[in-house]
Amino acid sequence: MRCIYYKPLMTKKLFLKTLGCAMNVRDSEHMIAELNRIERYDLTQDESEADLIIINTCSVREKPVNKLFSEIGQFVKHKKKSAKIGVCGCTASHLGEEIFKRAPEVSFVLGARNVSKITQAVNSEKFLDININYDESEYVFGEFRQNPYKAYINISIGCDKKCAFCIVPHTRGEEISIPHEIILSEAKKVAKNGAREIFLLGQNVNNYGRRLSNGKRGELNFSQLLTQISEIDEIERIRFTSPHPLHMDDEFLKVFASNPKICKSMHMPLQSGSTNILKTMRRGYTKEWFLERAQKLRDMSPDAAISTDIIVGFPGESDEDFEDTMSVMEKVRFEQIFSFKYSARPLTTAAQMTNTIDDKTASMRLKKLQDRHAGLLDEMTPNYKDRVFEVYFEELRENKMVAGRTSQNFTVCVDGSEELLGKIKNVKITRPQRLILYGQVV
Ligand code: 5AD
Ligand code: SF4
């Protein structure tokens, strides 16, 4: 009789820290899937027991880039002697080789457009690949999702816009749409696996279809893609980020307003309310155009919430320009704003501009903007009392509470337990606060 001895398969531990946007979250999921499928890594939350430490970085503003090297220093101090450290994402793309020079303990640097090479990077002594022309738009990654209730799906990579302040086109390269067949098949697969909500990701989602990998236009535009995804029975909610105001044509607004599966939450990144600044930013629209699109959206979809991104202190921004931004905020009454002080980024055209705004002025403007927005929220929030929202529960919170999102992307918390997770329930708001609406399932 022949004996077969099974050698137990050792699993290795991966500690992965993700900074930045939802695209990075999805890239991290792809790396985790590949490392698990091919290299048998399992995730750990404890860096000191990890065999591999990866930092997936963001470079959209300067602060997180500066933090990267002190963070690497901390990992070097606490890691197992044999553990490898890798730097991935947008900062890897733009710093490249410099990362090895400043942190020799790092063994691989992998750009934001080279995620599919993660196992090759891990298995090399020293590895650097930051090619922004590499095309992995049709690569089929393994399956891993941090949140099984809300499935992120990439629909495009890169960005062609070249806004003057933005480093992204230099780290993620030119815009390529992923073929709709791949997106639809992924959507069907996650739906079968229990996700009720799909979150479509791209730098410029509503420009979807502009160019496929083969250089041709895609068969579907973004509105048509949304419609086809909404025809998948199991999917109840569709979200997307980030759309560009320039591509918010009537067809798109109509599909957004009329399709009940599309969540009524629209991100309209304003950046500045001044037509002059918008021009130097190369955003492609004016203050009036933005206001007209936002009003049209409010008219067509009165229940929708609008969020935005705003930069203050862009080079040349006068008090008058800033007041234009304040006035757009006042008129649109954004339900949510993400606001930033301008940060000069390498490789961008704005970094060459000499008419910079001093930090004190930029800080004052940021505070004024945020204070007024808090005031607007204080005017809006009490109106949610006693309203009933459909809430999709996705996260356990402290004190036996469960959190979920309304279609408008408002966070709602109720008393409850795991059994609410993955379910959509009607919730009556009893205690609305600026950032969280507390309520009861009805
Ligand atoms: N400085 C400040 N904010 C920036 N953003 C992008 N680049 C910069 C920069 N150089 C902001 C924009 C963008 C968001 C993701 O980050 O508002 O929409
Ligand atoms: Fe950056 Fe503009 Fe592209 Fe957005 S649209 S990623 S801000 S270049």
Side-chain angles (χ1 to χ4, degrees):
M1 199 174 102
R2 269 179 62 205
C3 272
I4 302 170
Y5 292 99
Y6 289 102
K7 191 171 154 218
L9 283 165
M10 295 286 290
T11 54
K12 296 166 276 184
K13 300 274 183 211
L14 163 67
F15 178 91
L16 197 157
K17 177 160 187 175
T18 307
L19 304 163
C21 63
M23 299 286 281
N24 262 18
V25 173
R26 186 67 188 132
D27 288 344
S28 288
E29 289 180 344
H30 281 152
M31 288 192 264
I32 295 166
E34 292 298 281
L35 288 170
N36 181 266
R37 180 169 70 115
I38 304 167
E39 299 291 331
R40 305 191 63 78
Y41 276 96
D42 276 337
L43 277 179
T44 173
Q45 304 300 324
D46 177 1
E47 65 209 61
S48 65
E49 68 159 21
D51 302 286
L52 173 62
I53 295 174
I54 297 179
I55 315 169
N56 195 9
T57 57
C58 168
S59 60
V60 96
R61 279 169 295 276
E62 197 178 0
K63 239 195 210 154
V65 178
N66 290 339
K67 262 179 64 189
L68 172 67
F69 292 98
S70 58
E71 238 165 14
I72 294 174
Q74 287 303 311
F75 286 135
V76 171
K77 230 194 243 166
H78 299 297
K79 77 179 184 69
K80 279 202 312 208
K81 212 166 167 219
S82 59
K84 271 192 173 183
I85 300 181
V87 176
C88 304
C90 286
T91 305
S93 298
H94 98 264
L95 288 185
E97 186 108 42
E98 193 187 325
I99 296 178
F100 291 138
K101 290 197 187 119
R102 287 176 66 179
E105 302 83 359
V106 170
S107 64
F108 63 89
V109 172
L110 193 64
R113 226 175 136 119
N114 310 86
V115 178
S116 59
K117 299 172 194 156
I118 184 67
T119 53
Q120 203 187 332
V122 168
N123 288 322
S124 310
E125 187 82 11
K126 223 38 176 186
F127 187 90
L128 171 76
D129 199 338
I130 53 168
N131 180 0
I132 61 162
N133 297 316
Y134 187 66
D135 180 1
E136 51 187 11
S137 61
E138 296 186 19
Y139 184 87
V140 181
F141 286 94
E143 184 64 22
F144 175 81
R145 289 171 198 281
Q146 252 146 3
N147 184 342
Y149 308 108
K150 181 194 285 189
Y152 285 134
I153 297 183
N154 285 346
I155 67 163
S156 61
I157 60 175
C159 178
D160 276 353
K161 282 278 181 282
K162 303 221 168 29
C163 298
F165 51 81
C166 187
I167 196 171
V168 169
H170 309 278
T171 61
R172 289 189 177 268
E174 71 169 9
E175 193 170 313
I176 297 182
S177 301
I178 294 172
H180 70 271
E181 296 89 348
I182 295 182
I183 299 169
L184 286 166
S185 109
E186 189 173 350
K188 284 177 192 153
K189 190 159 97 192
V190 294
K192 288 263 169 314
N193 288 341
R196 300 279 80 90
E197 185 171 309
I198 300 265
F199 209 128
L200 304 175
L201 299 178
Q203 232 61 54
N204 202 355
V205 281
N206 52 339
N207 201 22
Y208 177 76
R210 171 187 160 83
R211 185 199 304 114
L212 297 173
S213 185
N214 60 13
K216 295 201 179 125
R217 262 205 96 79
E219 257 173 66
L220 305 184
N221 66 19
F222 187 55
S223 305
Q224 292 161 330
L225 179 72
L226 284 173
T227 306
Q228 293 215 4
I229 291 179
S230 73
E231 283 159 9
I232 302 171
D233 279 346
E234 298 91 336
I235 291 171
E236 291 177 50
R237 287 185 166 196
I238 305 168
R239 296 187 191 277
F240 49 83
T241 201
S242 192
H244 195 296
L246 194 59
H247 303 295
M248 293 192 177
D249 54 30
D250 286 352
E251 180 197 9
F252 170 59
L253 293 186
K254 200 166 154 214
V255 168
F256 174 83
S258 62
N259 190 317
K261 289 193 180 179
I262 299 178
C263 287
K264 298 300 169 264
S265 152
M266 182 74 92
H267 192 57
M268 279 186 85
L270 170 66
Q271 311 302 0
S272 167
S274 151
T275 297
N276 281 335
I277 295 293
L278 287 169
K279 199 162 177 208
T280 38
M281 282 179 164
R282 297 206 297 225
R283 290 290 290 172
Y285 52 85
T286 60
K287 169 184 179 175
E288 290 69 29
W289 193 88
F290 185 96
L291 284 172
E292 190 276 329
R293 286 290 91 185
Q295 189 55 50
K296 184 132 197 173
L297 172 59
R298 292 277 191 221
D299 292 343
M300 290 173 86
S301 194
D303 210 28
I306 308 181
S307 58
T308 197
D309 291 342
I310 293 174
I311 297 176
V312 299
F314 185 79
E317 184 187 67
S318 64
D319 286 339
E320 224 178 21
D321 292 321
F322 173 65
E323 286 311 320
D324 273 341
T325 300
M326 291 290 287
S327 95
V328 173
M329 181 169 83
E330 209 66 45
K331 288 193 174 111
V332 180
R333 295 173 74 85
F334 299 108
E335 278 79 1
Q336 192 177 20
I337 65 166
F338 300 91
S339 49
F340 315 99
K341 261 194 292 185
Y342 167 72
S343 156
R345 307 305 299 120
L347 310 170
T348 62
T349 49
Q352 314 297 320
M353 296 176 186
T354 48
N355 50 349
T356 50
I357 303 301
D358 64 276
D359 190 59
K360 203 169 143 222
T361 307
S363 298
M364 274 165 43
R365 288 180 185 165
L366 187 66
K367 184 165 181 332
K368 188 170 173 191
L369 183 89
Q370 291 176 340
D371 286 350
R372 179 60 195 130
H373 188 254
L376 283 175
L377 282 182
D378 286 341
E379 292 169 25
M380 291 180 219
T381 309
N383 299 332
Y384 303 133
K385 180 146 183 3
D386 295 329
R387 263 189 70 176
V388 174
F389 289 100
E390 273 191 356
V391 177
Y392 184 36
F393 288 100
E394 53 187 54
E395 193 193 328
L396 291 176
R397 291 274 172 104
E398 282 172 358
N399 303 326
K400 297 194 175 134
M401 301 211 87
V402 190
R405 299 274 176 164
T406 69
S407 169
Q408 295 78 359
N409 211 23
F410 301 148
T411 302
V412 171
C413 270
V414 302
D415 291 323
S417 57
E418 292 84 24
E419 81 241 14
L420 279 177
L421 294 176
K423 303 216 170 90
I424 296 180
K425 300 270 183 200
N426 282 328
V427 174
K428 185 170 178 181
I429 303 306
T430 50
R431 200 159 51 88
Q433 292 193 348
R434 256 188 224 158
L435 298 177
I436 300 180
L437 307 177
Y438 291 92
Q440 281 167 355
V441 175
V442 288

